[in-house]
Amino acid sequence: MSKPIVAIVGRPNVGKSTLFNALAGEKISIVKDYPGVTRDRIYADVTWLNYQFTMIDTGGIEPESKDLMLKHMRAQAEIAIETADVILFITDVRQGLVDADFRVADMLRKSGKPVILIVNKVDSFEKFMSDVYEFYNLGIGDPVPVSAASRLGIGDMLDEVAKYFPQNDEEEVEDERPRVAIVGKPNVGKSSIINRLVGEERVIVSDIAGTTRDAIDTAITWQDKEYVFIDTAGLRRKSKIKEELERFSIIRTVTAVERADVVVVVIDAEEGVTEQDAKIAGIAHERGKGIIIAVNKWDAIEKDDKTIYEHTRRIRDILAFMPYAEIVFISAKTGQRVNKIFDVMDVVIQNHALRIATGVLNEIMMEAVAMQQPPSDKGKRLKLYYITQVAIKPPTFVIFVNDKQLMHYSYTRYIENRIRDAFGFSGTSLKFIIRERKEKE
């Protein structure tokens, strides 16, 4: 089940980024005392009790501003509202209730999403509670007083948020169909790829409502196998400013990736891999998804016998953090190799859910140790006792050692490479957890 999405919205300079940083546990958003600093929406994964959710920080909403940057920030906030499961509406007790708060409240009511009204900067409940009551006038529910800077009232606020999350004891119908998100910057051909896949004569298409989002997912049957494609074509916005379009793409990418088993990252062959492409691919990598890099518009490239090799090398260099990703060169316009996505996808899906017997894993590890001795420090050598696989999607392994401080990242990567040599695991990351175990007397 994907993580719920919680969006923090409100006017500029009411403390949204301060609250975001307090929940995320680190200073991810830049906090200044003037409006308009948080121009990019920023996201973080948050854990509260036994709940996990993805939190979105947004630029401030100025409902009627003609300032270009504030209009763009408002558009970002609107996308966050569209994709959120729960909305935290932040107001400022020190500024008091202002007209813009009423207009934001009207916008949130129209969204139909659960809204929790937060009154921020309440550094003393005794001093400010009488001012908090004024916010009942918004007609959007009971105000929850907090101080993001002092971290007062945060627990009560999160308890309110958690009321809107699916409860763990609720039975959920398991959908076994692989879920595929096609993501990428605007105008790289995501819609064209889906349309090409849907338009094939051998494909049966039906529209089904997204289970947790307003977007429409598309069920596609290919050679008697059914896949659910998660629609991210709506990333394009009315704004014609390319940089703003790229910023808009991040949050919908996050929500699509959360729901997917496999992520197809679409890259423009003419433009090559960009920093934005790396950010989008990184979101899928961090969440341990199966990953395919689809280089689209391949028909527009002048080619010789070295072209694919050179493009592959550049992609591998820039996306060096995910050397396992599968790469396909396609053209949605001509249909060139588009159906190969299904073949590669089946391999990635299989690898993403692959389990390896513990005995086999330990044979591989012991052979690896014999070929390359573990590192030592100050006369103490790392010892690897045991390895076992504890999860899939992504395949996750626990290695028991005598001292995990000695288990350098490079040696973990060495063990990973030996496992990949034996089983491939193409298209999926592998996760390793290092645990200490005392030697027996």
Side-chain angles (χ1 to χ4, degrees), residues 184-402:
K185 296 184 306 178
N187 302 318
V188 294
K190 299 184 299 294
S191 299
S192 299
I193 291 171
I194 290 183
N195 290 339
R196 175 66 68 169
L197 295 173
V198 168
E200 293 291 335
E201 292 179 1
R202 289 167 291 179
V203 173
I204 302 168
V205 180
S206 62
D207 287 332
I208 55 174
T211 52
T212 58
R213 302 286 175 271
D214 297 332
I216 298 297
D217 296 343
T218 302
I220 299 179
T221 300
W222 172 258
Q223 295 182 347
D224 298 326
K225 294 180 182 178
E226 191 171 17
Y227 309 83
V228 176
F229 281 79
I230 299 168
D231 179 19
T232 59
L235 293 177
R236 292 189 298 278
R237 304 296 294 179
K238 293 178 182 178
S239 168
K240 295 181 180 179
I241 298 179
K242 184 178 179 183
E243 290 77 7
E244 293 302 323
L245 283 171
E246 292 182 353
R247 290 175 184 144
F248 293 155
S249 71
I250 292 296
I251 183 53
R252 284 195 174 164
T253 298
V254 172
T255 56
V257 167
E258 280 288 357
R259 298 173 54 212
D261 300 302
V262 176
V263 176
V264 179
V265 182
V266 184
I267 292 172
D268 188 322
E270 295 179 289
E271 191 175 358
V273 188
T274 66
E275 181 182 350
Q276 185 74 0
D277 292 322
K279 286 181 182 177
I280 291 170
I283 293 169
H285 170 73
E286 289 169 4
R287 283 158 171 74
K289 304 297 181 176
I291 300 177
I292 300 169
I293 306 296
V295 184
N296 192 27
K297 306 182 184 179
W298 192 239
D299 59 301
I301 299 294
E302 291 187 13
K303 308 174 188 66
D304 56 32
D305 58 347
K306 297 180 181 178
T307 307
I308 282 187
Y309 171 78
E310 290 171 353
H311 274 75
T312 299
R313 180 182 54 78
R314 282 197 290 269
I315 292 169
R316 295 295 187 200
D317 286 346
I318 295 174
L319 303 181
F321 57 89
M322 44 189 289
Y324 56 85
E326 289 281 358
I327 302 176
V328 293
F329 295 87
I330 66 171
S331 169
K333 182 178 179 180
T334 66
Q336 181 185 19
R337 285 195 290 271
V338 170
N339 291 337
K340 184 176 173 61
I341 290 176
F342 286 110
D343 297 330
V344 176
M345 206 156 51
D346 286 343
V347 173
V348 173
I349 290 167
Q350 183 178 6
N351 288 335
H352 199 225
L354 185 60
R355 285 190 181 273
I356 309 300
T358 298
V360 176
L361 282 172
N362 281 279
E363 286 180 15
I364 294 170
M365 186 178 75
M366 291 302 105
E367 184 177 326
V369 168
M371 292 175 61
Q372 181 174 319
Q373 283 293 306
S376 61
D377 184 43
K378 297 178 181 178
K380 186 175 183 180
R381 183 168 295 279
L382 172 68
K383 292 182 181 179
L384 282 68
Y385 297 128
Y386 187 75
I387 182 172
T388 186
Q389 184 174 351
V390 295
I392 58 173
K393 297 184 180 181
T396 303
F397 305 90
V398 175
I399 302 177
F400 293 93
V401 301
N402 61 330

Side-chain angles (χ1 to χ4, degrees), residues 65-199:
S65 173
K66 295 182 180 180
D67 179 88
L68 184 62
M69 183 55 69
L70 289 174
K71 286 174 68 177
H72 293 154
M73 290 161 59
R74 181 173 69 240
Q76 293 181 54
E78 287 171 352
I79 294 176
I81 291 167
E82 283 179 27
T83 54
D85 297 292
V86 184
I87 298 167
L88 295 181
F89 175 23
I90 313 300
T91 57
D92 184 340
V93 74
R94 297 178 185 270
Q95 294 180 19
L97 196 55
V98 300
D99 288 344
D101 288 326
F102 285 98
R103 292 195 288 273
V104 175
D106 288 340
M107 180 189 302
L108 296 180
R109 261 191 293 270
K110 293 174 183 176
S111 73
K113 303 292 181 68
V115 178
I116 300 172
L117 174 59
I118 308 298
V119 182
N120 192 25
K121 305 183 184 179
V122 182
D123 298 319
S124 167
F125 289 170
E126 291 183 3
K127 180 179 178 181
F128 288 107
M129 278 309 294
S130 58
D131 296 320
V132 170
Y133 297 139
E134 176 187 13
F135 289 85
Y136 274 103
N137 291 315
L138 289 172
I140 207 163
D142 296 334
V144 179
V146 305
S147 170
S150 304
R151 304 198 178 196
L152 295 175
I154 300 294
D156 291 341
M157 180 193 74
L158 290 174
D159 286 342
E160 290 298 314
V161 172
K163 290 179 181 178
Y164 295 99
F165 293 164
Q167 298 303 307
N168 294 334
D169 57 355
E170 289 183 6
E171 290 189 8
E172 190 172 294
V173 177
E174 189 70 24
D175 188 346
E176 298 292 338
R177 296 173 300 178
R179 306 185 76 83
V180 183
I182 296 187
V183 303
K185 296 184 306 178
N187 302 318
V188 294
K190 299 184 299 294
S191 299
S192 299
I193 291 171
I194 290 183
N195 290 339
R196 175 66 68 169
L197 295 173
V198 168

Side-chain angles (χ1 to χ4, degrees), residues 20-35:
F20 177 88
N21 292 336
L23 294 174
E26 53 185 312
K27 290 190 176 180
I28 299 174
S29 289
I30 301 169
V31 180
K32 296 289 183 183
D33 287 334
Y34 53 88

Side-chain angles (χ1 to χ4, degrees), residues 32-53:
K32 296 289 183 183
D33 287 334
Y34 53 88
V37 171
T38 308
R39 296 177 180 177
D40 290 324
R41 201 173 32 255
I42 302 172
Y43 64 92
D45 293 327
V46 178
T47 299
W48 171 248
L49 302 177
N50 59 334
Y51 297 101
Q52 290 186 329
F53 61 93

Side-chain angles (χ1 to χ4, degrees), residues 395-437:
T396 303
F397 305 90
V398 175
I399 302 177
F400 293 93
V401 301
N402 61 330
D403 186 346
K404 64 181 181 180
Q405 298 300 322
L406 295 174
M407 189 69 171
H408 192 268
Y409 168 79
S410 61
Y411 202 76
T412 304
R413 175 59 62 88
Y414 167 69
I415 297 296
E416 175 181 345
N417 289 339
R418 300 293 73 77
I419 293 173
R420 286 189 183 277
D421 287 345
F423 293 98
F425 281 112
S426 62
T428 182
S429 62
L430 304 182
K431 182 178 179 182
F432 289 85
I433 301 168
I434 310 302
R435 292 278 187 265
E436 286 186 6
R437 194 182 77 177

